[in-house]
Amino acid sequence: MSTPKVAVIMGSDSDFEVVKKCLIALERFDIEYEVQVISAHRNPQKIFEYAATAEERGIEVIIGAAGKAAHLPGIIAGITPLPVIGIPIQTSFQGGLDSLLSIVQMPSGVPVATMAVNGAENAGILAAQMLSIKYPEIRKKMKAFKILLNDEVIAKNEKIQEIL
Amino acid sequence: MSTPKVAVIMGSDSDFEVVKKCLIALERFDIEYEVQVISAHRNPQKIFEYAATAEERGIEVIIGAAGKAAHLPGIIAGITPLPVIGIPIQTSFQGGLDSLLSIVQMPSGVPVATMAVNGAENAGILAAQMLSIKYPEIRKKMKAFKILLNDEVIAKNEKIQEIL
Amino acid sequence: MSTPKVAVIMGSDSDFEVVKKCLIALERFDIEYEVQVISAHRNPQKIFEYAATAEERGIEVIIGAAGKAAHLPGIIAGITPLPVIGIPIQTSFQGGLDSLLSIVQMPSGVPVATMAVNGAENAGILAAQMLSIKYPEIRKKMKAFKILLNDEVIAKNEKIQEIL
Amino acid sequence: MSTPKVAVIMGSDSDFEVVKKCLIALERFDIEYEVQVISAHRNPQKIFEYAATAEERGIEVIIGAAGKAAHLPGIIAGITPLPVIGIPIQTSFQGGLDSLLSIVQMPSGVPVATMAVNGAENAGILAAQMLSIKYPEIRKKMKAFKILLNDEVIAKNEKIQEIL
Amino acid sequence: MSTPKVAVIMGSDSDFEVVKKCLIALERFDIEYEVQVISAHRNPQKIFEYAATAEERGIEVIIGAAGKAAHLPGIIAGITPLPVIGIPIQTSFQGGLDSLLSIVQMPSGVPVATMAVNGAENAGILAAQMLSIKYPEIRKKMKAFKILLNDEVIAKNEKIQEIL
Amino acid sequence: MSTPKVAVIMGSDSDFEVVKKCLIALERFDIEYEVQVISAHRNPQKIFEYAATAEERGIEVIIGAAGKAAHLPGIIAGITPLPVIGIPIQTSFQGGLDSLLSIVQMPSGVPVATMAVNGAENAGILAAQMLSIKYPEIRKKMKAFKILLNDEVIAKNEKIQEIL
Amino acid sequence: MSTPKVAVIMGSDSDFEVVKKCLIALERFDIEYEVQVISAHRNPQKIFEYAATAEERGIEVIIGAAGKAAHLPGIIAGITPLPVIGIPIQTSFQGGLDSLLSIVQMPSGVPVATMAVNGAENAGILAAQMLSIKYPEIRKKMKAFKILLNDEVIAKNEKIQEIL
Amino acid sequence: MSTPKVAVIMGSDSDFEVVKKCLIALERFDIEYEVQVISAHRNPQKIFEYAATAEERGIEVIIGAAGKAAHLPGIIAGITPLPVIGIPIQTSFQGGLDSLLSIVQMPSGVPVATMAVNGAENAGILAAQMLSIKYPEIRKKMKAFKILLNDEVIAKNEKIQEIL
């Protein structure tokens, strides 16, 4: 069994329902991953150590999911040289505007690749796209995936035509 | 000379113009302070060590000022048991809504006492109010300050009466 | 039995469900408190008298919870020299943006330590942190609390590992 | 000389530039007014006394102008039985959304008649409309004013026709 | 039976649930009213004629309730010299921000006294306050109402004390 | 000389700078137009009569530009059977969010074809597209215009290549 | 059977519930239409070809419905010379502010006639208004429709009068 | 000379001032790039062909910068299997909220790695981080860059210490 290429970190276990869609997306591209619940605010030492050692343990992309003052992905991005993807979790405050702004508005020097609110599936797909720069077999699967996306909508269109 | 009771941390030296008003407020109550520029994203190890040792060095209140994805005060609050005050710095994005939400929307367990956007003077006053719980001489000055605030507006009212 | 150190004021009894979490947090740190329903707009004389006499009755921190045009904490802060913590109650208007802005955007001279929308638990914790400046036993409990927070997330992480 | 019918209160003398347009509007309808700078947060006792005695001094409408956490009109409305008009002063935060929400989102039982951001002229006109319920001569002037408004735009239209 | 002093207009019969609270408030002050469903966009001629003749029919205050692009109160205000109160009806768009801004942001010359989103009860109370300028018996009832408001919260406070 | 096909109405002559771009766009497609300054709130009778007679005078599309509580296009749309295009004028309130929502959030039955904030040029182009349904020569010019748009960006790209 | 004059495109079959109201509106004016599910992001080649050939197939108006980063109507508008109407689909993010801004804020040169969030019925009516420039029988039906709208509200008003 | 690894596309040449910071960032990591001005709305065929052929021409990451209804990065992401980074350009509408939402709120299946408003430098850094998965020499430079970021803030802190 190969080592995980992607680390998926969530700030709270309550984010797991959303984050699952990210894991399914990674599995679609046969990408090994690990999942961790680490809070930037409750486990400050652990998040620091985790992020500082991720690269040497073979992780190539880190995905962080967090809500409200969603500091998790930004804090990880400050520590690791790896690309970091952020998933803003929906909240009851303006549909997650708090999570989105806390993740996307990073200062110069420390980017976080931000997804839509609750955009966990896309986080997995973007991780696959990043890895496809290096791994041709993932690129191949990505191309097949885009054909599948196209075909699915065409099938849905045919169903609508039948209803009308 | 006594040790500083208040630490004022800013995420960028460009925040200094705003933060100055906080220092002036602390001086008004004769409170010793130290000032540091430490970025949560560019100096992750330093901010971790600074926050972890602040209490043992005699700091009693920490003030953090930051803009955009303003993680600084929240990260400090995750590490230290001390009360942490956050100053959201104004940005060109909705007048600083990004800074405000990133600072105020902290998860349960880790509060940041959030001020208005650019509310640096109030951060100094709130620090004084916190310290006044322990130090009666600061409480005394706080009461005098409130009388002064009252008198200043009364004086301004008199000037307006003259203009009319 | 000792006198209350913290006063928890809510603008309406409908805020009690949220405010309860604040009381539980104060109890965790063995802090005596009193609870009052006083409306800034419906009991103007009472709120004035209450805030003006809080300090002499031994109160050391005041917490105010209010929704919509949430003037309560700000009005108290204008009267008392004590530190005031504000809890913006969630509303159906942009998830409580009205409550948040009415509480946090205080003018220079009169700070309110603002919590997240519905951040009642954090209001209790921040009050404990303020009091821990003076009371070493509360500081000690705060440090234990932070270890507990850390351990809880680690336990949750272990559970997620089992599910995967 | 008759006693003032309208009291115009501003929270800060920096609001005077905007508030002037309100005074000019009142003068247009020959309505006597008084102007006061009273801060809800810095002069809490004074604002309480002022609002509590306004009616007995012959004031019939109160106008309050304030910015940011603009509590002034709402606090006055809690104390007086008179109708209260609120002018949200523009700020650098989302063009004054903070002022607007703090003034308009009043709880049931205590209305504030809220104007547009910086809508000081309209506050004067609305005060005149309220007074016109009782004073026929103000109603007469209001009708003339509406004809004037109509004529002014017609004149502007004619100028545009010449340019084209 | 006396003629109505207040006209309550709603843009859609779906607003009636909210508007009812306005009628109850008017009844509390024994103020005669009439209620109309008139859409500014679907009954343009009718709204024009209604507003143009309201004053001569003895109406002294007009209240308009509308949602989304809530033009109704503003259009009435453009036609009548009477004071106009606007009730923004809550929508699924940011909790009614669309209704609020469409009503409150009126141009100079044509004010609408804007209430909170769904603030129908306050619209009735404000109408009573406006009428109390002329009618001493309404002023008397308004003073009693403010005492009632105060007493109600005091009673609620007592209940909370019992629970604790 | 042919009669105007398009009527361009603005709520205030201060909107003329923005509206000019609409006129230039109409001229590009050789479409006759008339321009009027008519305020929905200051000239209520005139706007009613203007909109009610536009179709019989040969107008085929009406464009309305307005800011803040921008009721003008919606009121016109309520009266005329013609298609109505709305231009939200930029304001100091959230960049014109007030104008945009007041124009776009029309109730069912009465659409306004809403442009971007200050999107006056596009209002002219959309009017041309509507007219091109009937007039083949405008369709022909529209196709040429789209080629021109394409070519302009290609030329700009070439200039950037030279700079690099 | 005549060829469709209006093409109704939705980005996802999940938009169909909303889009149905558009189809009913078109049927009210006896306008032939076709319906397609085509995603701007999943069927990029198909949307390009569809939009590029719509005019030559006899389509005279295109309606596009989409949510979130709702690029569909704008992309169609970039390709076709026909007028394009956009329906922003409601989302859980600020009630569909994302859909609305993505559709309405088009750059100069490429307008999209934007409806209210979920304003599908109005999209059908606006399409009918555009077509009524060319087809007198649709204009006639539009005038009858406006009378119907007026009568419906008058009937509702009568019902409310009975309840009171 | 090696072929470009990164394509930087902007929707308008007016975005060049912002985009320059992206180019400087890429140069810092010695990454070859090409720059194109291609509008999603004005050059629909060109953007389609460009995105469809980017991979076969050796491009490994695409960066798209756009403002307002900023469809450019999303449209590219729909066509190419490569990772796409989006830069929302600041606008006068809520500081660029329109650009941000149009780029970040992508539907499932088609991610865009979204940067802060005007976050062009970070787009270059993120592209470097993505490429560093494959190219060890870029990873090495990334690690040096993070040390540099750290050192720069430490130097700024020293300067502030001298001022105090």
Side-chain angles (χ1 to χ4, degrees):
Chain A
M1 203 188 107
S2 66
T3 48
K5 287 186 178 67
V6 175
V8 182
I9 320 293
M10 50 196 146
S12 162
D13 60 337
S14 64
D15 303 337
F16 191 53
E17 269 319 292
V18 172
V19 165
K20 260 182 198 167
K21 290 180 288 180
C22 174
L23 308 184
I24 293 166
L26 290 168
E27 287 163 14
R28 180 193 286 271
F29 297 98
D30 296 312
I31 296 170
E32 298 283 320
Y33 59 82
E34 65 179 39
V35 179
Q36 299 283 333
V37 184
I38 312 177
S39 161
H41 300 115
R42 300 177 178 204
N43 311 126
Q45 184 143 13
K46 185 174 176 185
I47 195 68
F48 184 83
E49 283 160 14
Y50 185 90
T53 59
E55 190 211 7
E56 67 196 41
R57 286 184 295 101
I59 299 294
E60 298 189 292
V61 177
I62 301 180
I63 296 171
K68 295 179 76 185
H71 298 176
L72 183 72
I75 291 308
I76 295 170
I79 299 166
T80 183
L82 298 172
V84 176
I85 300 171
I87 306 169
I89 297 293
Q90 191 172 329
T91 67
S92 58
F93 189 85
Q94 298 195 39
L97 184 70
D98 46 1
S99 315
L100 174 58
L101 295 181
S102 296
I103 290 177
V104 79
Q105 284 292 81
M106 289 291 290
S108 271
V110 190
V112 169
T114 306
M115 300 291 94
V117 173
N118 275 1
E121 186 185 351
N122 275 357
I125 296 169
L126 180 63
Q129 289 175 325
M130 289 180 181
L131 291 168
S132 79
I133 295 171
K134 181 179 176 189
Y135 302 103
E137 66 276 15
I138 299 179
R139 175 66 49 85
K140 214 171 137 189
K141 281 170 194 149
M142 186 60 64
K143 287 178 178 177
F145 174 66
K146 289 191 93 69
I147 291 167
L148 183 71
L149 281 180
N150 182 58
D151 292 350
E152 278 175 358
V153 183
I154 284 170
K156 281 174 182 171
N157 186 34
E158 277 161 18
K159 269 197 190 151
I160 289 280
Q161 301 307 327
E162 287 162 22
I163 292 168
L164 289 171
Chain B
M1 202 188 107
S2 66
T3 48
K5 288 187 178 66
V6 176
V8 182
I9 320 293
M10 50 195 145
S12 162
D13 60 337
S14 64
D15 303 336
F16 191 53
E17 269 319 292
V18 172
V19 166
K20 261 183 198 165
K21 290 180 288 180
C22 174
L23 308 183
I24 294 166
L26 290 168
E27 286 163 14
R28 178 191 287 271
F29 298 97
D30 296 313
I31 296 169
E32 297 283 321
Y33 59 82
E34 64 178 38
V35 179
Q36 299 283 333
V37 184
I38 312 178
S39 161
H41 300 113
R42 300 178 178 203
N43 312 125
Q45 184 143 12
K46 185 173 177 186
I47 195 69
F48 184 83
E49 284 160 13
Y50 184 90
T53 60
E55 191 212 6
E56 67 195 41
R57 285 184 296 101
I59 298 295
E60 298 189 292
V61 177
I62 302 181
I63 296 170
K68 295 178 77 184
H71 298 176
L72 183 72
I75 290 308
I76 295 171
I79 299 166
T80 184
L82 298 173
V84 176
I85 300 170
I87 307 169
I89 297 294
Q90 191 172 329
T91 67
S92 57
F93 189 83
Q94 298 195 40
L97 183 70
D98 45 0
S99 315
L100 174 59
L101 295 181
S102 296
I103 289 177
V104 80
Q105 285 291 80
M106 288 293 288
S108 270
V110 190
V112 169
T114 306
M115 300 290 95
V117 174
N118 274 0
E121 186 185 350
N122 275 358
I125 296 168
L126 179 64
Q129 288 175 324
M130 290 181 182
L131 291 168
S132 79
I133 296 171
K134 181 178 176 187
Y135 301 103
E137 67 275 17
I138 300 179
R139 175 66 49 85
K140 213 170 138 188
K141 280 169 195 150
M142 186 61 61
K143 287 178 178 177
F145 174 65
K146 289 191 92 68
I147 292 166
L148 182 71
L149 281 181
N150 183 57
D151 292 349
E152 277 175 359
V153 181
I154 284 170
K156 281 173 183 171
N157 187 32
E158 277 161 20
K159 269 197 190 150
I160 290 279
Q161 302 306 328
E162 286 163 21
I163 292 168
L164 289 170
Chain C
M1 204 187 107
S2 66
T3 48
K5 286 186 178 67
V6 176
V8 182
I9 321 293
M10 49 195 146
S12 163
D13 60 336
S14 64
D15 304 336
F16 191 53
E17 269 319 292
V18 172
V19 166
K20 261 184 198 166
K21 290 179 289 179
C22 174
L23 308 183
I24 293 166
L26 290 168
E27 287 164 16
R28 180 192 286 273
F29 297 98
D30 296 312
I31 297 169
E32 297 284 322
Y33 59 83
E34 65 179 39
V35 179
Q36 299 284 333
V37 184
I38 311 177
S39 162
H41 301 112
R42 299 178 179 202
N43 311 126
Q45 184 143 15
K46 185 173 177 186
I47 196 68
F48 184 84
E49 284 160 16
Y50 185 90
T53 60
E55 191 211 8
E56 68 196 38
R57 286 184 296 104
I59 298 295
E60 298 189 293
V61 177
I62 302 180
I63 296 172
K68 294 179 77 184
H71 299 175
L72 184 72
I75 290 308
I76 296 170
I79 298 166
T80 185
L82 297 173
V84 176
I85 300 171
I87 306 170
I89 297 294
Q90 191 171 328
T91 66
S92 58
F93 190 84
Q94 298 196 39
L97 184 70
D98 46 1
S99 315
L100 174 58
L101 295 181
S102 296
I103 290 178
V104 79
Q105 285 291 81
M106 289 292 288
S108 271
V110 191
V112 169
T114 306
M115 300 291 94
V117 174
N118 275 0
E121 186 185 350
N122 276 357
I125 296 168
L126 180 64
Q129 288 175 325
M130 290 180 180
L131 292 167
S132 79
I133 296 171
K134 181 179 176 187
Y135 301 103
E137 66 276 17
I138 300 178
R139 175 66 49 84
K140 213 170 138 189
K141 280 169 196 150
M142 187 61 63
K143 288 178 176 175
F145 173 67
K146 289 191 91 70
I147 291 166
L148 183 71
L149 281 181
N150 182 57
D151 292 350
E152 277 175 358
V153 182
I154 284 170
K156 281 174 184 171
N157 187 33
E158 277 160 20
K159 269 200 190 148
I160 289 280
Q161 302 306 327
E162 286 163 22
I163 292 168
L164 289 171
Chain D
M1 204 187 109
S2 65
T3 47
K5 289 187 177 66
V6 176
V8 182
I9 321 295
M10 50 195 147
S12 162
D13 60 337
S14 65
D15 303 336
F16 191 53
E17 270 318 293
V18 172
V19 166
K20 260 183 198 167
K21 289 179 290 180
C22 173
L23 309 183
I24 292 166
L26 290 168
E27 287 164 14
R28 178 193 288 270
F29 298 97
D30 295 312
I31 297 168
E32 297 284 320
Y33 59 82
E34 65 179 39
V35 179
Q36 299 283 334
V37 184
I38 312 177
S39 161
H41 300 113
R42 301 178 178 202
N43 311 125
Q45 185 143 13
K46 185 174 178 186
I47 196 69
F48 184 84
E49 284 160 14
Y50 184 90
T53 60
E55 190 211 9
E56 67 196 40
R57 285 184 296 102
I59 298 294
E60 299 189 290
V61 178
I62 302 180
I63 296 171
K68 295 178 77 183
H71 298 177
L72 183 71
I75 290 308
I76 295 170
I79 300 166
T80 184
L82 298 172
V84 176
I85 300 171
I87 307 169
I89 298 293
Q90 192 172 327
T91 67
S92 58
F93 189 83
Q94 298 196 39
L97 184 69
D98 46 1
S99 316
L100 174 59
L101 295 181
S102 296
I103 289 178
V104 80
Q105 284 292 79
M106 288 293 289
S108 270
V110 190
V112 170
T114 306
M115 299 292 94
V117 174
N118 274 0
E121 186 185 351
N122 275 358
I125 296 168
L126 180 63
Q129 288 175 324
M130 290 180 181
L131 292 167
S132 80
I133 296 171
K134 182 178 176 187
Y135 301 103
E137 67 275 16
I138 300 179
R139 176 66 49 84
K140 213 170 137 190
K141 281 170 195 149
M142 186 61 63
K143 288 178 179 176
F145 174 65
K146 289 190 92 70
I147 291 167
L148 183 71
L149 282 180
N150 183 57
D151 292 349
E152 277 175 359
V153 182
I154 284 170
K156 282 175 182 170
N157 186 33
E158 276 161 20
K159 270 198 189 150
I160 290 279
Q161 302 307 327
E162 286 163 21
I163 291 169
L164 289 171
Chain E
M1 204 186 109
S2 65
T3 48
K5 287 186 179 67
V6 175
V8 182
I9 320 293
M10 50 195 146
S12 162
D13 60 337
S14 64
D15 304 336
F16 191 54
E17 269 319 292
V18 171
V19 166
K20 261 184 198 165
K21 290 180 288 181
C22 174
L23 307 184
I24 293 166
L26 290 168
E27 287 164 14
R28 179 191 287 271
F29 298 97
D30 296 313
I31 296 169
E32 297 283 322
Y33 59 82
E34 64 179 39
V35 179
Q36 299 284 333
V37 184
I38 312 177
S39 161
H41 299 112
R42 299 177 178 203
N43 311 125
Q45 184 143 12
K46 186 175 177 184
I47 195 68
F48 183 84
E49 284 160 14
Y50 185 89
T53 60
E55 190 212 8
E56 67 196 40
R57 285 184 297 104
I59 299 294
E60 298 189 294
V61 177
I62 302 180
I63 297 172
K68 297 178 74 183
H71 299 177
L72 184 71
I75 289 307
I76 295 170
I79 299 166
T80 185
L82 298 172
V84 176
I85 300 171
I87 307 169
I89 298 294
Q90 191 172 329
T91 66
S92 58
F93 189 84
Q94 299 196 40
L97 183 69
D98 45 1
S99 316
L100 174 58
L101 295 181
S102 295
I103 290 178
V104 79
Q105 285 291 81
M106 288 292 290
S108 271
V110 191
V112 169
T114 306
M115 300 291 93
V117 174
N118 275 1
E121 187 185 351
N122 275 357
I125 296 169
L126 179 64
Q129 288 175 326
M130 289 181 182
L131 291 168
S132 80
I133 296 171
K134 181 178 175 188
Y135 301 102
E137 67 276 16
I138 299 179
R139 175 66 49 84
K140 214 171 137 188
K141 281 169 195 151
M142 186 61 63
K143 287 178 178 175
F145 174 65
K146 291 191 90 70
I147 291 166
L148 183 71
L149 281 181
N150 183 57
D151 292 349
E152 277 176 358
V153 182
I154 285 170
K156 282 174 182 169
N157 187 33
E158 276 161 21
K159 270 199 189 147
I160 289 279
Q161 301 307 327
E162 286 162 22
I163 292 169
L164 289 172
Chain F
M1 205 187 107
S2 65
T3 48
K5 288 187 178 65
V6 176
V8 182
I9 320 294
M10 50 194 146
S12 162
D13 60 336
S14 64
D15 304 337
F16 191 53
E17 270 319 293
V18 172
V19 166
K20 260 183 199 166
K21 290 180 289 180
C22 174
L23 308 184
I24 293 166
L26 290 168
E27 286 163 14
R28 178 192 288 270
F29 297 97
D30 296 313
I31 296 169
E32 298 283 321
Y33 59 81
E34 64 178 39
V35 179
Q36 299 284 333
V37 184
I38 311 177
S39 160
H41 300 113
R42 301 179 178 202
N43 312 123
Q45 184 143 13
K46 185 173 177 185
I47 195 70
F48 183 85
E49 284 160 14
Y50 185 89
T53 59
E55 191 211 8
E56 66 196 41
R57 286 184 295 103
I59 298 294
E60 298 189 292
V61 177
I62 301 180
I63 296 171
K68 297 178 75 184
H71 298 177
L72 183 70
I75 290 308
I76 296 171
I79 299 166
T80 184
L82 298 173
V84 176
I85 300 171
I87 306 169
I89 298 293
Q90 191 172 327
T91 67
S92 59
F93 189 84
Q94 299 195 40
L97 184 68
D98 46 0
S99 316
L100 174 58
L101 295 181
S102 296
I103 290 178
V104 79
Q105 285 292 79
M106 288 292 289
S108 271
V110 191
V112 169
T114 306
M115 300 292 92
V117 174
N118 275 1
E121 186 185 352
N122 276 357
I125 296 169
L126 180 63
Q129 289 175 324
M130 290 180 181
L131 291 168
S132 80
I133 296 172
K134 182 179 176 187
Y135 301 103
E137 67 275 17
I138 299 179
R139 176 66 49 83
K140 214 170 137 189
K141 280 170 194 149
M142 186 60 64
K143 288 179 178 176
F145 174 66
K146 291 191 91 71
I147 291 167
L148 182 71
L149 281 180
N150 183 58
D151 292 350
E152 277 176 358
V153 182
I154 284 170
K156 281 174 183 171
N157 186 34
E158 276 161 20
K159 270 200 188 147
I160 289 281
Q161 301 307 326
E162 286 163 21
I163 292 169
L164 289 172
Chain G
M1 205 186 108
S2 65
T3 48
K5 288 187 178 66
V6 175
V8 182
I9 320 293
M10 49 196 146
S12 161
D13 60 337
S14 64
D15 304 336
F16 191 54
E17 268 320 291
V18 172
V19 166
K20 261 182 198 166
K21 291 180 288 181
C22 175
L23 308 183
I24 293 166
L26 290 168
E27 288 163 12
R28 179 191 286 271
F29 296 98
D30 296 313
I31 297 169
E32 298 283 321
Y33 58 82
E34 65 178 40
V35 179
Q36 299 284 333
V37 184
I38 312 178
S39 161
H41 300 114
R42 300 177 179 203
N43 311 124
Q45 184 143 13
K46 186 174 176 184
I47 196 68
F48 184 84
E49 284 160 13
Y50 184 89
T53 60
E55 191 212 8
E56 66 196 41
R57 285 184 297 103
I59 299 294
E60 298 189 291
V61 177
I62 302 180
I63 296 171
K68 296 179 76 184
H71 298 177
L72 183 71
I75 290 308
I76 295 171
I79 299 166
T80 184
L82 298 172
V84 176
I85 300 171
I87 306 169
I89 298 293
Q90 192 172 327
T91 67
S92 58
F93 189 84
Q94 298 196 40
L97 184 69
D98 46 0
S99 315
L100 174 58
L101 295 181
S102 296
I103 290 178
V104 79
Q105 285 292 79
M106 288 292 289
S108 271
V110 191
V112 169
T114 306
M115 300 292 93
V117 174
N118 275 1
E121 187 185 350
N122 276 357
I125 296 169
L126 180 64
Q129 288 175 325
M130 290 179 181
L131 291 167
S132 80
I133 295 171
K134 181 178 175 188
Y135 301 102
E137 67 275 17
I138 299 179
R139 176 65 50 83
K140 214 170 137 188
K141 282 170 195 150
M142 186 60 64
K143 287 179 178 177
F145 174 65
K146 290 191 91 71
I147 291 167
L148 183 72
L149 282 180
N150 183 58
D151 291 350
E152 278 176 358
V153 182
I154 283 170
K156 281 174 182 169
N157 187 33
E158 276 161 20
K159 271 198 188 149
I160 289 280
Q161 301 308 326
E162 286 163 22
I163 293 168
L164 288 171
Chain H
M1 204 187 107
S2 66
T3 48
K5 287 187 179 65
V6 176
V8 182
I9 320 293
M10 51 195 144
S12 161
D13 60 337
S14 64
D15 304 335
F16 191 53
E17 268 320 292
V18 172
V19 166
K20 261 185 199 166
K21 290 180 289 181
C22 174
L23 308 183
I24 294 166
L26 290 169
E27 287 164 13
R28 179 193 287 272
F29 297 98
D30 296 314
I31 296 170
E32 298 283 322
Y33 59 83
E34 64 179 39
V35 179
Q36 299 283 333
V37 184
I38 312 178
S39 161
H41 301 113
R42 300 177 178 203
N43 311 124
Q45 183 143 13
K46 185 174 177 186
I47 196 69
F48 184 84
E49 283 160 14
Y50 185 90
T53 59
E55 191 211 8
E56 66 196 42
R57 285 185 296 103
I59 298 295
E60 297 188 294
V61 178
I62 302 181
I63 297 171
K68 298 179 73 184
H71 298 177
L72 184 72
I75 290 307
I76 295 171
I79 299 166
T80 185
L82 299 173
V84 175
I85 300 170
I87 307 168
I89 298 294
Q90 192 172 328
T91 66
S92 58
F93 189 83
Q94 299 195 40
L97 183 70
D98 46 0
S99 315
L100 174 58
L101 295 180
S102 295
I103 290 178
V104 79
Q105 285 292 79
M106 288 293 288
S108 271
V110 190
V112 169
T114 305
M115 300 292 93
V117 174
N118 275 1
E121 186 185 351
N122 275 358
I125 297 169
L126 179 64
Q129 288 175 325
M130 289 180 182
L131 291 167
S132 80
I133 296 171
K134 181 178 175 187
Y135 302 101
E137 67 276 16
I138 299 179
R139 176 66 49 84
K140 212 170 138 188
K141 280 170 195 150
M142 186 60 63
K143 289 178 177 176
F145 174 66
K146 290 191 91 70
I147 292 166
L148 182 72
L149 281 181
N150 183 57
D151 292 349
E152 277 176 359
V153 182
I154 284 170
K156 281 174 183 171
N157 187 32
E158 277 161 20
K159 270 199 188 148
I160 288 281
Q161 301 306 327
E162 286 162 22
I163 292 169
L164 288 171

